[in-house]
Structures are given as C-alpha cells and as structure tokens.
C-alpha cells in the first residue's frame, strides 16, 4: 500500500510552522494513544503513523528532502514509523526531542502543568498550494534539466503591497479582538472555570480591518496573473515523483504567507527505450549472418549513438550491457546501464535465389549440429 502524505496525516498545510505541526501531532497522539485505546491495533498503527510524520516534518533536513522528493527522498532514512520497532521506542525518541529529562514525552506534551501562552496570529490568510504536471523525456531525466513553465496564480497586489487597503491609514486594529485575532469567553460550571477561544469573526482572525479597500484588488491584497517559473529537475526522477517549491504558490490574502507549487513529474514514452529503475533496455535486431559471424552495430543511447561489438555466435535473447549509458541515480552518485537485448530478424519473404542459398546452408554440418546442441541445452534446463 502506498504511504500517505505526511502533511495529510497531520492534517496541516505545507506552509505550517513547527508550532502548528506540534499542535496537530499532539491532537492525534492524544486521540490514538495506546493508553486510551487498549488492544486497538488500528489506533496503534495510526499513532505510529503520526509519530513518523511528525518525526520527519519537525527536522529541517528531513523535511527539506521530503518536501522536494516525497518519500523517495527519505531512502535510507525515516521509514516504517521512523525506524521505531515498538511504541516504547516512540516514547523514548520524542522524549529526547522535547527534552523530557528521561521522562515520558506525555509528561510534558500532554501533562497537566500550566498551559503555554497561545501564539498571536500574524496578519493575513495563507495562500493555497498549486499542483502542476511536468512532462519529461528520458533524455532529460538521464542527466537532469531546467524547464520553464507558465502558470496562472494569485500574486501580491503591487498597488497596496498586499495589505488590501487603499491607504495605510485605512488599515486599523480590529475593535472586537483588539488585534489578537481571537476572542476569549469564560464560562463557569460545577466542574470549574472554562475558557473558550475562537477566531474573531469580525476580522477573520487577522487582527486588522480595512476601512477603504484597495481598488485594484478589492481589498483581497492579491490578484490573478500569469507568471513564468524556472524548475530545476534533478537527474533520476521517476513517474509520479514530485518536488515542492516553497512559497512559489498563490499569494496569501492580505499579506499572508504564500502557498507552494507542487510539481508532479510525468515521463513521455520513448520510441527506443524501456526504463527499468535507472537502467534502460533497448531491443536490437540483427540478421542471422551477423549473429553467426559477429559484427559491430551502431545503437542509439540517451546521449547520442554508440558502437556495440557483437561476438560471433551470439544467441538470440542474449543481453549485452553498455555500462554507464543509463540514468544517473537520484540523490546519489553513479549511473545506470543500457541493456541491449539481441534479437535475430527472420525475413517474412525470400526470393528464389535466397531460398536456394538458405536450403544449401541448412545442410551444412555446423548448422545442423548447432540446432542439435540448442535442443539439448533446452531440455537440460528442465531436468
């Protein structure tokens, strides 16, 4: 089964900061914690899944690799619940991350101590991510390439600077939440005092309101435009791999952070080659005399043409290797090979002269003997 996207598992956007991801993980961990779900294997798996996602996304280097290449970027790194073998490994690992002093992560993460102060929201709403497909040839994948694409996206308004206000004086602190972006309400019951915090409806959590909206963007702080983007594609990518261009997506509303552009790679079928990981396979057809006598054949490669030596007596179906003529490995050194499969072409029609020569050839001792040897070899394989 294909691994789920880590951001999807945590339920956060690709623009989420570490505090948002931590809060999202806390919520999932509380929901699926084994102590709250004794004997529930499904809850335990979801708990491990959330732990793996958070372990990767909370580390800058791992997150950068994952954002660019997805799960393929983590080869040799986090996989299978970040390498944890059981639930205790997860507790111990995350206790180290958050400095639990040897105690369980849940003493700090879920404990009943004083609640940390809430982070005041910054102005604006984050922009949405964009997903685009990019077609590539095997030649481009073999050594990497740079591509230019045109996309339509929301860009920051150049008239108001993204604030959405016609003038700077038109942007004022929200009178309802006093710029906090949140509204607190306190209620009492027999169980004690409860504080409920909700997003301010007057400013939609931005902390500011606009008296006179910008005429160009109608107060949104952005408008739609066409832009040209340069994309550097590394060598060795596969069909379905993707890379994330941080902050290159839709502009955020009223100064909010930009979304990302997620570029998904598609591979154009090649007229000569089939791909097998980082090797490429080529079918070469030669004549019977060439196979019997040996020859040198010119074959296409991903970097032009090359001469392949074929020894006398080469059998149909044999594979010959052209070392280093394949595709460069993704995120590592080395290059795949070109594998050439030898096929003997049999003519569909022959002239009377050709027929006579072939009949003479069929009676030659070595020709008869070779067919008997091949027959013996065939049956040996099944003994």
């Amino acid at each position: 089964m294909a691994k789920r996207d880590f951001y999807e598992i945590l339920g956060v956007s690709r623009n989420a900061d570490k505090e948002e991801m931590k809060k999202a993980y806390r919520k999932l961990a509380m929901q699926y914690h084994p102590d709250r779900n004794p004997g529930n294997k499904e809850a335990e798996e979801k708990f491990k899944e959330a732990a793996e996602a958070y372990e990767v996304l909370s580390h800058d280097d791992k997150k950068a690799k994952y954002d660019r290449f997805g799960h393929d970027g983590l080869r040799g790194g986090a996989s299978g619940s970040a390498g944890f073998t059981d639930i205790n490994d997860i507790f111990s690992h995350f206790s180290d991350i958050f400095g639990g002093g040897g105690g369980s992560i849940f003493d700090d993460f879920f404990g009943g101590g004083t609640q940390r102060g809430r982070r005041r929201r910054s102005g604006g709403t984050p922009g949405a991510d964009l997903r685009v497909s990019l077609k590539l040839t095997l030649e481009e994948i073999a050594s990497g390439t740079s591509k230019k694409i045109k996309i339509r996206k929301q860009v920051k308004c150049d008239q108001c600077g993204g604030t959405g206000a016609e003038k700077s004086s038109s942007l004022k602190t929200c009178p309802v939440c006093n710029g906090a972006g949140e509204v607190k309400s306190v209620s009492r019951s027999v169980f004690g005092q409860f504080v409920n915090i909700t997003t301010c409806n007057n400013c939609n959590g931005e902390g500011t309101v606009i008296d006179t909206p910008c005429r160009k963007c109608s107060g949104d702080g952005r408008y739609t435009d066409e832009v040209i983007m340069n994309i550097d594609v590394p060598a060795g990518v596969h069909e379905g791999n993707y890379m994330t261009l941080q902050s290159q997506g839709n502009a955020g509303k009223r100064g909010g952070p930009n979304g990302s552009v997620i570029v998904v790679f598609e591979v154009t079928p090649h007229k000569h080659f089939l791909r097998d990981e980082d090797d490429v396979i080529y079918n070469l057809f030669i004549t019977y005399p060439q196979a019997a006598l040996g020859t040198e054949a010119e074959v296409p490669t991903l970097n032009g043409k090359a001469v392949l030596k074929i020894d006398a007596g080469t059998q149909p179906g044999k594979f010959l290797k052209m070392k280093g003529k394949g595709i460069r490995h993704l995120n590592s050194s080395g290059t795949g090979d070109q594998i050439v499969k030898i096929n003997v072409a049999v003519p569909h029609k022959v002239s009377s002269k050709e027929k006579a020569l072939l009949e003479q050839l069929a009676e030659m001792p070595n020709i008869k003997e070779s067919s008997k040897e091949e027959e013996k070899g065939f049956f040996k394989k099944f003994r």
Side-chain angles (χ1 to χ4, degrees), residues 45-288:
E45 288 304 315
K46 289 185 177 181
F47 182 78
K48 291 181 180 180
E49 187 180 51
E52 178 186 11
Y54 183 72
E55 197 275 338
V56 170
L57 298 182
S58 62
H59 287 76
D60 292 339
D61 55 341
K62 294 179 182 178
K63 181 178 183 297
K65 291 179 180 178
Y66 180 76
D67 284 344
R68 192 169 188 192
F69 302 112
H71 294 293
D72 283 347
L74 302 176
R75 289 178 181 173
S79 62
S81 293
F84 305 130
T85 57
D86 56 35
I87 292 295
N88 292 327
D89 288 342
I90 299 178
F91 293 160
S92 175
H93 179 75
F94 281 102
S95 178
D96 293 338
I97 291 176
F98 289 98
S104 169
I105 176 177
F106 298 98
D107 294 341
D108 174 57
F109 213 34
F110 305 126
T114 58
Q115 185 178 7
R116 296 180 181 178
R118 282 180 165 266
R119 182 173 54 89
R120 176 174 169 172
R121 288 192 59 171
S122 59
T125 303
D129 293 341
L130 290 172
R131 180 186 176 98
V132 297
S133 296
L134 182 62
K135 290 185 178 295
L136 300 168
T137 65
L138 279 183
E139 284 83 359
E140 291 171 330
I141 291 172
S143 56
T145 186
S146 292
K147 304 281 280 187
K148 288 186 177 182
I149 61 172
K150 181 186 290 186
I151 63 172
R152 288 183 62 81
K153 68 174 186 175
Q154 291 174 312
V155 298
K156 184 169 74 173
C157 178
D158 52 7
Q159 182 166 311
C160 65
T163 65
E166 186 67 26
K167 300 177 181 178
S168 58
S169 58
S170 301
L171 193 64
K172 298 182 178 180
T173 300
C174 175
V176 175
C177 65
N178 294 318
E182 299 172 331
V183 177
K184 298 180 181 179
S185 59
V186 181
S187 61
R188 295 181 180 275
S189 72
V190 292
F191 299 105
Q193 178 176 290
F194 293 89
V195 178
N196 185 38
I197 302 176
T198 58
T199 300
C200 178
N201 290 327
N202 189 54
C203 65
N204 294 319
E206 295 176 13
T208 56
V209 292
I210 297 172
D211 284 344
T212 307
C214 171
R215 286 173 290 181
K216 185 171 183 177
C217 65
S218 300
D220 193 70
R222 56 192 178 172
Y223 60 89
T224 302
D225 197 9
E226 281 192 344
V227 298
I228 302 294
M229 294 188 63
N230 292 314
I231 300 175
D232 293 325
V233 181
V237 298
H238 287 260
E239 175 91 21
N241 282 170
Y242 64 87
M243 63 189 300
T244 302
L245 306 178
Q246 298 283 358
S247 302
Q248 298 296 309
N250 286 314
K253 184 178 180 180
R254 295 183 185 174
N258 291 356
S260 301
V261 173
I262 302 169
V263 183
V264 181
F265 301 124
E266 296 181 359
V267 182
T268 303
H270 202 282
K271 64 179 180 179
H272 294 311
F273 303 114
L274 292 175
R275 182 176 182 177
D276 180 22
E277 294 298 330
D278 289 336
D279 294 336
V280 291
I281 301 172
Y282 176 71
N283 276 299
L284 176 64
F285 288 85
I286 60 176
T287 65
Y288 175 78

